[in-house]
Amino acid sequence: MRAKDQTENLSISTGPLPGSVKIYVPGEMYDIKVAMRRIDLSPTIDENGVKRENESVVVYDTSGPYTDPEYTTNLHKGLPKLRQAWIEAREDTERLDQLSSEYGRIRRADTSLDHLRFEHIEDHPLVAAEGKCVTQLAYARAGIITPEMEYVAIRENQLCNQIKENYKKEKGEAFGAHLPELITPEFVRSEIAAGRAILPANINHPECEPMIIGRNFLVKINANIGNSPVTSSIQEEVEKAVWATRWGADTIMDLSTGRNIHETREWIVRNSPVPVGTVPLYQALEKVKGKVEELTWEIYKDTLIEQAEQGVDYFTIHAGLRWEFIPLTMNRLTGIVSRGGAIMASWCTTHKRESFLYEHFEEICEILARYDVAVSIGDGLRPGSIADANDEAQFAELRTLGELASIADKHNVQVIIEGPGHVPMHKIKENMDLQLSLCNEAPFYTLGPLVTDIAPGYDHITSAIGATLIGWYGTSMLCYVTRKEHLGLPNRDDVKEGVITYKLAAHAADLAKGHPAAYFRDFAMSKARYEFRWRDQFHLALDSETALKFHDETLPSEGHKTAHFCSMCGEHFCSMRASKKLHNRIKSEE
Amino acid sequence: MRAKDQTENLSISTGPLPGSVKIYVPGEMYDIKVAMRRIDLSPTIDENGVKRENESVVVYDTSGPYTDPEYTTNLHKGLPKLRQAWIEAREDTERLDQLSSEYGRIRRADTSLDHLRFEHIEDHPLVAAEGKCVTQLAYARAGIITPEMEYVAIRENQLCNQIKENYKKEKGEAFGAHLPELITPEFVRSEIAAGRAILPANINHPECEPMIIGRNFLVKINANIGNSPVTSSIQEEVEKAVWATRWGADTIMDLSTGRNIHETREWIVRNSPVPVGTVPLYQALEKVKGKVEELTWEIYKDTLIEQAEQGVDYFTIHAGLRWEFIPLTMNRLTGIVSRGGAIMASWCTTHKRESFLYEHFEEICEILARYDVAVSIGDGLRPGSIADANDEAQFAELRTLGELASIADKHNVQVIIEGPGHVPMHKIKENMDLQLSLCNEAPFYTLGPLVTDIAPGYDHITSAIGATLIGWYGTSMLCYVTRKEHLGLPNRDDVKEGVITYKLAAHAADLAKGHPAAYFRDFAMSKARYEFRWRDQFHLALDSETALKFHDETLPSEGHKTAHFCSMCGEHFCSMRASKKLHNRIKSEE
């Protein structure tokens, strides 16, 4: 369903995915309801016409309340505040009298922006009470299992312990990752406490459904959205955010760089059921009208606070690009291809001094801890071409990222590490192995990597190949790349295609790692395929709409939804049809 | 250019690809001209306005004469017979008085088919003269370097020994493959003689430009075309064949199963600049109106001869599926998913006897040797789902494929081995390692494999991930999968997308294996990218048209073809722009 919201400008896709039912699984420790998607299947009808039921398949659901038919969407009001009571019950936060950020207050007071503004804005955001640490990491280390942690444990299991079907699982090859058969709340806590996983959950983003990023859990994906100065509007970006989660984005990053990004972000955060990440440096640069030399720690710091109080769940901070590393990039083929990296390198060179992000990293962590914003330490020197992969600039920075990870850890700030980029296949594993050893197993979060430079227009694929490999090797979250990468701003269709492409990459990595829940969906899909239950195949597909559309291009009639062939081979050359008939014959002769 | 042919029904895309020039590199041993594509680039203009030329990039060209502007396409006449003189000069063939195949003669005599028939049909095909062996393998073993072998050596090198640019190459990780810096005709001969590579070149397909399939050469890709009974026509299939080679298909397989496949094949072979493969069993089955039980060795044998005399370069023959293996498939989730495999399993079960393909394999090889048709021994028991990967049925057959490969080898028949299918990532390498050891390093030719079952509509991607991995591990040719796999017959756009997807997979594998010529194109692309030479980027892309189209969706004006940004990030947030400015500044201050 593509529903019009109450106002004329906002319209998003809502309602359940085809063949799917929203279910809520209750907690045991806490009064929580964990959202999942159940795909109900039609029965198997054997050669004698006997029906046997097929077990429903429960899958991980990132789409939030939008796919619940009982829920009335109102983008102007925002999502229900799922975590509000949990946060309040901890009694370790307090409400601010006013926004702490000067810029935030100025924007709030500017009535000329009223027409852009989210209506139900919170003027009194939460902050940690004096002497309290409100991060999930601090709780985990104190031995506390939070409702968020129980939510995550239930969510990761996808009810796989209730499956009755005797399907084939694989042990896989997990390269040192340890995937338990069943994830317990205590396991979640211990992984967070060890710094091997993060649970991004800003206390000012209570709308967010808890999720976890770590290599002993399901591989996650991120979708980047955000307008660029050249094109797109607030409406489009909110729509893209909700759209990305509908198809499976585990987190979204708002990389907006145009005007009004403060207001755009408010809309996105209030309506996002998944953690929202940003790169605060982009907005800081907007504040000095793009003049890098005018950037200051004070402006940056105010931006961190501004965004933390809006509810951003994680910040990419390019603090590892040190002044002394810049000469290492001079002989590169493609220089510095990270936006944040290029900005900071330019700042260091202009001021002939160390990066203020590096120098103030302890203070940054103190700020982040107050709101439980996680830090994603950016790889400003990631390679932008096959020729620059795994060079000294990249690895010098990676060593620094490891040092910074220890600092964040000391402040109980949850930390993940960003990775490349463009890397030929034989050099991918070195990235993973070095990251694990240099960063004390903090979760790795990579952009692809792209395994060749020569396929612009297809970089969702060149990058998904590298992403699947590095996901298998141990990367915890894969940042999608759309087919417009290197060419232009992705539109709605590109976002969906990028998300689906990365979902299949993450799932393939889960299979190879031997994730116990991952095999059931493949089993159910292939069983439906072999039994020509076409509708079930579409419903079990990562993109049911496209599968149905492609099938119907040649055989649109309802009768063909149960036909024992498709147009690829035709009735008399369908191998599955022939194989099924043969097997039935052999069985009947036995 | 999309040129109308002289008649109303046939229309194909011809003319050079954007920014490209057709060149011909002369041989040293023979009077041959090896076709390649040269992409000419615009100069680099530095910060002071000084121009420096950029070296052209020469790339492998599968498109045949169609992209030569000097060539006048006439599909009714077929392509020039490039190899005719070479074949005749060997004086080891003779022309038949009439077609040897009874079916071929009947079709030829049927005037009701005249309107479908290729006009300039050859009624006197070539066959090996008595006592002669005309296969490239026999020549190679006799120490003879043929013009085909010299052609291949020059073609594989892509003039990379003439590159003046000091670009970065990688040694890579080739898993036991040995890629020489420069490929010599003697190296080609020795690899063919060792059975590690094949040069498919039926003496009745003189239009074919020689190419090689082997793991010490560039990774190749195959595109499947062919009508199904449900849809498509001769015209469409000829168009798809030429279209697939335009975008990079190294071979095409005609998998037609409808009526008139004899006539369709004639059109395709006469107009194909690349080797054509078929599965003769499909046509044999058509001859008995789809009644598997009526298949006989005699009908099959006549089909082999019929197609060999038309010029088919390689046959997929599912001779390794033995009667005794069928029970091994009974507990599979998806049974037998190879069409040929399902047909043969059904035949064995009906007749309660061993496969006639297995029993007559020696005789099959004798026939193939007479025309130099290569055999691609089919994997009738490949897994059709993640659950069935690497099972006993699959590997029992693989051991038999190894035995059959030895028989083909004994008859001087060039042989490749087909592989899966659906395989989770952690089980892919076992396939490659077993194939190499069981089949004496005969080239491996795989279909994907798909690394998950749950993404119908995106199986070009799920399969390209597995294909890139197995190509890296040592597979010589990757059979493409389109996004319509499991759903319907691919159309022209799907074919192109499948080809480009597999080109990027093969290229990524070449990079990882350390192929010396592979790095230059990535280098040139990334240099153009960093210098904002947009036109050069489009021209260097595997799909220049799509790259241009995506760029122009948001910034269509001519001025933006030299702009130092695109709509993805906009002018002030383009990292490459910022990095370039920074590097120029640092250099000027030094």
Side-chain angles (χ1 to χ4, degrees):
Chain A
M1 187 184 336
R2 195 166 156 84
K4 271 280 184 205
D5 193 70
Q6 280 96 326
T7 64
E8 54 292 335
N9 287 329
L10 290 159
S11 125
I12 58 162
S13 297
T14 62
L17 290 174
S20 298
V21 178
K22 192 94 173 179
I23 60 167
Y24 295 95
V25 180
E28 293 183 5
M29 299 175 62
Y30 292 100
D31 180 21
I32 58 177
K33 297 187 311 170
V34 180
M36 298 186 191
R37 176 158 73 97
R38 196 187 69 214
I39 304 167
D40 291 333
L41 306 178
S42 53
T44 296
I45 303 173
D46 75 10
E47 57 280 13
N48 305 314
V50 178
K51 277 189 186 181
R52 271 170 304 191
E53 293 304 317
N54 281 297
E55 213 169 326
S56 299
V57 179
V58 174
V59 300
Y60 198 98
D61 185 359
T62 59
S63 63
Y66 302 107
T67 48
D68 185 340
E70 305 294 310
Y71 176 71
T72 306
T73 298
N74 183 338
L75 296 176
H76 290 262
K77 209 177 145 198
L79 288 170
K81 297 187 193 313
L82 173 74
R83 295 170 53 235
Q84 187 98 318
W86 314 347
I87 296 164
E88 285 168 1
R90 289 194 275 260
E91 296 183 346
D92 53 5
T93 54
E94 55 191 31
R95 293 228 167 256
L96 291 160
D97 292 338
Q98 60 169 3
L99 302 180
S100 313
S101 150
E102 189 188 344
Y103 182 85
R105 291 193 299 271
I106 292 169
R107 293 296 285 198
R108 189 72 186 93
D110 185 344
T111 53
S112 77
L113 298 170
D114 281 353
H115 68 292
L116 293 174
R117 212 183 317 273
F118 181 79
E119 287 166 31
H120 301 266
I121 205 160
E122 175 62 75
D123 287 322
H124 307 285
L126 287 176
V127 68
E130 188 65 34
K132 301 288 186 184
C133 187
V134 299
T135 70
Q136 296 288 325
L137 176 54
Y139 301 138
R141 285 189 173 153
I144 299 166
I145 295 172
T146 61
E148 286 87 344
M149 295 175 200
E150 190 192 19
Y151 192 105
V152 156
I154 295 167
R155 191 174 197 184
E156 289 280 321
N157 288 323
Q158 300 165 73
L159 295 182
C160 75
N161 54 325
Q162 297 182 16
I163 299 170
K164 290 177 207 77
E165 181 72 66
N166 182 27
Y167 68 102
K168 193 173 160 202
K169 281 172 267 194
E170 295 274 348
K171 205 173 151 288
E173 162 58 65
F175 300 105
H178 301 284
L179 308 167
E181 267 291 308
L182 197 72
I183 288 168
T184 61
E186 167 55 23
F187 181 75
V188 171
R189 187 206 61 75
S190 67
E191 287 291 298
I192 295 171
R196 278 194 299 268
I198 70 164
L199 196 165
N202 185 328
I203 52 175
N204 290 306
H205 187 198
E207 300 88 348
C208 183
E209 296 176 350
M211 55 80 71
I212 196 158
I213 301 167
R215 91 185 151 113
N216 296 328
F217 299 94
L218 290 161
V219 176
K220 303 303 188 297
I221 69 160
N222 171 70
N224 290 335
I225 55 157
N227 56 346
S228 91
V230 179
T231 178
S232 86
S233 65
I234 290 186
Q235 282 81 357
E236 281 173 69
E237 295 314 311
V238 174
E239 190 192 329
K240 275 189 210 164
V242 176
W243 182 241
T245 64
R246 181 172 177 85
W247 296 108
D250 292 289
T251 77
I252 50 174
M253 286 198 79
D254 174 16
L255 303 185
S256 296
T257 52
R259 286 179 310 154
N260 307 321
I261 52 183
H262 177 90
E263 287 68 31
T264 305
R265 187 184 315 118
E266 189 73 33
W267 279 97
I268 291 174
V269 173
R270 295 288 74 81
N271 287 296
S272 174
V274 302
V276 176
T278 63
V279 187
L281 192 63
Y282 298 173
Q283 190 185 3
L285 189 62
E286 292 284 352
K287 292 177 182 177
V288 294
K289 300 191 167 48
K291 293 180 184 146
V292 171
E293 61 277 14
E294 292 183 11
L295 271 176
T296 63
W297 160 241
E298 288 69 28
I299 290 169
Y300 184 83
K301 179 181 165 183
D302 192 72
T303 308
L304 290 183
I305 295 168
E306 170 202 344
Q307 297 197 9
E309 295 187 356
Q310 283 188 304
V312 173
D313 301 283
Y314 65 95
F315 291 151
T316 291
I317 299 183
H318 298 92
L321 194 167
R322 299 192 59 181
W323 186 25
E324 67 192 55
F325 299 156
I326 299 167
L328 299 175
T329 68
M330 290 300 291
N331 291 320
R332 276 186 158 185
L333 182 60
T334 49
I336 300 173
V337 299
S338 145
R339 278 192 218 169
I343 295 165
M344 288 313 300
S346 182
W347 189 90
C348 293
T349 304
T350 302
H351 294 285
K352 300 197 192 307
R353 59 169 298 181
E354 187 56 271
S355 154
F356 62 81
L357 297 177
Y358 180 79
E359 289 190 330
H360 290 273
F361 197 71
E362 298 255 5
E363 199 175 342
I364 289 172
C365 290
E366 287 165 15
I367 295 166
L368 269 51
R370 287 206 283 276
Y371 307 93
D372 198 7
V373 178
V375 61
S376 181
I377 314 185
D379 58 333
L381 297 179
R382 68 167 174 268
S385 56
I386 291 295
D388 292 343
N390 295 21
D391 71 353
E392 180 50 24
Q394 186 194 338
F395 287 153
E397 186 188 46
L398 183 58
R399 285 188 289 274
T400 310
L401 303 190
E403 291 166 29
L404 297 171
S406 300
I407 295 172
D409 193 71
K410 192 180 72 183
H411 288 273
N412 283 321
V413 169
Q414 304 190 85
V415 59
I416 56 179
I417 305 292
E418 295 189 8
H422 290 237
V423 186
M425 275 193 294
H426 67 290
K427 290 181 154 188
I428 290 178
K429 192 151 191 301
E430 186 182 11
N431 278 276
M432 190 69 234
D433 293 345
L434 270 180
Q435 189 274 338
L436 284 172
S437 70
L438 292 173
C439 305
N440 198 26
E441 296 193 83
F444 205 22
Y445 169 30
T446 61
L447 181 70
L450 288 72
V451 294
T452 172
D453 304 341
I454 68 166
Y458 297 78
D459 280 336
H460 59 315
I461 304 177
T462 63
S463 68
I465 293 167
T468 315
L469 261 186
I470 207 162
W472 177 23
Y473 296 153
T475 291
S476 303
M477 186 156 75
L478 309 171
C479 182
Y480 89 166
V481 172
T482 76
R483 58 157 73 220
K484 293 285 170 62
E485 185 78 15
H486 302 115
L487 296 168
L489 195 71
N491 60 28
R492 185 181 142 101
D493 289 341
D494 302 325
V495 167
K496 177 181 171 185
E497 186 185 42
V499 168
I500 300 287
T501 300
Y502 270 66
K503 286 304 269 190
L504 71 86
H507 184 79
D510 289 335
L511 290 176
K513 286 170 77 177
H515 197 290
Y519 283 85
F520 189 49
R521 189 165 176 180
D522 286 65
F523 167 86
M525 168 65 85
S526 290
K527 186 164 188 279
R529 186 170 279 157
Y530 197 58
E531 293 172 356
F532 296 98
R533 288 182 277 117
W534 286 101
R535 291 261 175 227
D536 289 349
Q537 287 180 65
F538 305 147
H539 298 162
L540 286 163
L542 286 176
D543 178 358
S544 45
E545 291 175 3
T546 298
L548 172 67
K549 190 183 81 178
F550 286 172
H551 177 270
D552 285 4
E553 271 179 22
T554 46
L555 297 174
S557 82
E558 193 49 41
H560 285 129
K561 296 296 186 302
T562 52
H564 281 208
F565 62 93
C566 76
S567 72
M568 184 171 172
C569 306
E571 188 168 4
H572 297 296
F573 277 92
C574 176
S575 61
M576 287 215 176
R577 183 174 186 270
S579 170
K580 234 181 128 53
K581 281 174 71 174
L582 173 68
H583 279 187
N584 288 340
R585 201 169 83 201
I586 294 173
K587 274 188 236 158
S588 72
E589 286 170 7
E590 272 168 8
Chain B
M1 187 186 337
R2 193 167 155 87
K4 271 280 186 204
D5 194 70
Q6 279 97 325
T7 63
E8 56 291 335
N9 287 329
L10 289 159
S11 125
I12 58 162
S13 297
T14 62
L17 290 175
S20 298
V21 179
K22 191 92 174 180
I23 60 167
Y24 294 94
V25 180
E28 293 183 5
M29 299 175 63
Y30 293 100
D31 180 21
I32 58 177
K33 298 187 310 172
V34 181
M36 297 185 192
R37 177 157 74 96
R38 196 187 68 214
I39 304 167
D40 291 333
L41 305 179
S42 54
T44 296
I45 303 173
D46 76 10
E47 57 280 13
N48 304 313
V50 177
K51 275 190 186 181
R52 272 170 303 190
E53 294 304 317
N54 281 298
E55 212 170 325
S56 298
V57 178
V58 175
V59 299
Y60 197 98
D61 184 358
T62 58
S63 63
Y66 302 106
T67 48
D68 185 340
E70 304 294 310
Y71 176 71
T72 306
T73 298
N74 183 338
L75 296 177
H76 290 262
K77 210 176 145 198
L79 289 170
K81 297 187 192 316
L82 173 73
R83 294 170 55 235
Q84 186 98 317
W86 313 348
I87 295 165
E88 285 168 1
R90 288 194 276 261
E91 297 183 345
D92 54 4
T93 54
E94 56 191 29
R95 293 227 167 256
L96 291 160
D97 292 337
Q98 60 169 5
L99 302 180
S100 314
S101 149
E102 190 189 343
Y103 182 85
R105 290 195 299 272
I106 292 169
R107 293 297 284 196
R108 188 72 185 94
D110 185 345
T111 53
S112 78
L113 300 169
D114 281 354
H115 68 290
L116 294 174
R117 212 182 317 273
F118 181 78
E119 287 166 30
H120 300 267
I121 204 160
E122 176 60 76
D123 287 320
H124 306 285
L126 286 176
V127 69
E130 187 64 32
K132 301 287 185 184
C133 188
V134 298
T135 70
Q136 296 287 324
L137 176 54
Y139 302 138
R141 286 192 172 151
I144 299 165
I145 295 172
T146 61
E148 286 87 344
M149 294 175 201
E150 191 191 20
Y151 192 105
V152 156
I154 295 168
R155 191 174 198 185
E156 288 280 321
N157 287 324
Q158 300 166 71
L159 294 181
C160 75
N161 54 326
Q162 296 182 15
I163 299 169
K164 290 177 206 75
E165 181 72 65
N166 182 27
Y167 69 102
K168 193 173 160 202
K169 280 173 269 194
E170 294 275 348
K171 205 174 151 288
E173 162 58 63
F175 300 103
H178 301 285
L179 308 168
E181 268 291 309
L182 197 72
I183 287 166
T184 61
E186 168 55 23
F187 181 75
V188 171
R189 187 205 62 75
S190 67
E191 287 291 299
I192 295 171
R196 276 193 300 269
I198 71 164
L199 196 164
N202 185 328
I203 52 175
N204 290 306
H205 187 198
E207 299 89 348
C208 182
E209 297 177 350
M211 56 80 71
I212 196 158
I213 301 166
R215 91 187 152 115
N216 296 329
F217 300 93
L218 290 161
V219 176
K220 304 302 187 298
I221 69 160
N222 171 69
N224 290 335
I225 55 157
N227 57 347
S228 90
V230 180
T231 178
S232 87
S233 66
I234 289 185
Q235 283 81 357
E236 281 173 68
E237 294 313 312
V238 174
E239 190 191 329
K240 275 189 209 164
V242 176
W243 181 241
T245 65
R246 181 172 178 85
W247 296 107
D250 291 289
T251 76
I252 50 174
M253 287 197 79
D254 174 16
L255 303 185
S256 294
T257 51
R259 285 181 311 153
N260 308 321
I261 53 183
H262 178 91
E263 287 68 33
T264 305
R265 187 184 314 118
E266 189 74 32
W267 280 97
I268 290 174
V269 174
R270 296 287 75 82
N271 287 296
S272 173
V274 302
V276 176
T278 62
V279 186
L281 191 63
Y282 297 172
Q283 190 185 3
L285 188 62
E286 292 285 351
K287 291 177 183 177
V288 294
K289 300 190 167 50
K291 293 180 186 144
V292 173
E293 60 278 15
E294 292 182 10
L295 272 176
T296 63
W297 160 241
E298 287 68 28
I299 290 169
Y300 184 82
K301 178 181 165 183
D302 192 72
T303 309
L304 289 183
I305 295 169
E306 168 202 344
Q307 298 196 10
E309 294 186 357
Q310 283 188 304
V312 173
D313 300 284
Y314 65 94
F315 291 150
T316 291
I317 299 183
H318 298 91
L321 193 167
R322 298 192 59 181
W323 187 24
E324 67 191 55
F325 298 156
I326 299 169
L328 299 176
T329 68
M330 291 300 292
N331 291 319
R332 277 185 157 185
L333 182 59
T334 49
I336 300 174
V337 299
S338 146
R339 277 193 218 170
I343 295 166
M344 288 313 300
S346 183
W347 189 91
C348 292
T349 304
T350 303
H351 292 286
K352 301 194 192 308
R353 59 170 296 181
E354 186 56 273
S355 154
F356 63 80
L357 297 177
Y358 180 79
E359 289 190 330
H360 290 273
F361 196 71
E362 297 256 5
E363 198 176 343
I364 289 172
C365 291
E366 287 166 15
I367 295 166
L368 269 50
R370 287 207 283 277
Y371 306 92
D372 199 6
V373 179
V375 61
S376 180
I377 314 185
D379 58 333
L381 296 180
R382 69 166 172 268
S385 56
I386 290 296
D388 292 343
N390 295 22
D391 71 354
E392 179 50 24
Q394 185 194 339
F395 286 155
E397 186 188 45
L398 183 58
R399 286 189 289 274
T400 309
L401 303 190
E403 292 166 30
L404 296 171
S406 301
I407 294 173
D409 194 69
K410 192 179 72 183
H411 288 274
N412 283 319
V413 170
Q414 304 189 85
V415 58
I416 55 180
I417 305 292
E418 295 189 8
H422 291 238
V423 186
M425 277 193 293
H426 68 290
K427 290 183 154 186
I428 291 178
K429 193 152 189 302
E430 186 183 11
N431 278 276
M432 189 69 234
D433 293 344
L434 269 180
Q435 189 274 337
L436 285 172
S437 71
L438 292 173
C439 305
N440 198 26
E441 295 193 81
F444 205 23
Y445 169 31
T446 62
L447 181 70
L450 287 73
V451 294
T452 172
D453 305 340
I454 67 165
Y458 297 78
D459 280 336
H460 59 314
I461 305 177
T462 63
S463 68
I465 293 167
T468 315
L469 262 185
I470 207 162
W472 177 23
Y473 296 153
T475 291
S476 303
M477 186 155 77
L478 309 171
C479 181
Y480 88 167
V481 171
T482 76
R483 58 157 74 219
K484 293 283 170 64
E485 186 77 14
H486 302 115
L487 297 169
L489 195 71
N491 61 28
R492 185 181 142 101
D493 290 341
D494 302 324
V495 167
K496 177 180 172 186
E497 186 185 42
V499 168
I500 300 288
T501 300
Y502 270 67
K503 286 304 270 190
L504 71 85
H507 183 80
D510 289 335
L511 291 175
K513 286 170 76 177
H515 197 290
Y519 283 85
F520 189 49
R521 190 165 177 181
D522 286 67
F523 167 86
M525 169 65 84
S526 289
K527 188 164 188 278
R529 185 169 280 158
Y530 197 58
E531 293 171 356
F532 296 98
R533 290 182 275 115
W534 286 101
R535 290 260 176 228
D536 289 349
Q537 288 180 65
F538 305 146
H539 297 162
L540 286 162
L542 286 176
D543 178 359
S544 45
E545 292 174 2
T546 297
L548 172 67
K549 189 183 81 177
F550 287 172
H551 177 270
D552 285 6
E553 270 179 21
T554 45
L555 297 173
S557 83
E558 193 50 40
H560 285 129
K561 296 296 186 302
T562 52
H564 281 209
F565 62 93
C566 76
S567 71
M568 183 170 172
C569 306
E571 187 168 5
H572 298 295
F573 276 92
C574 176
S575 62
M576 286 216 176
R577 183 173 187 270
S579 170
K580 234 182 128 53
K581 282 175 70 174
L582 174 67
H583 279 187
N584 289 339
R585 199 169 86 202
I586 294 173
K587 274 188 234 159
S588 72
E589 286 169 7
E590 271 168 8

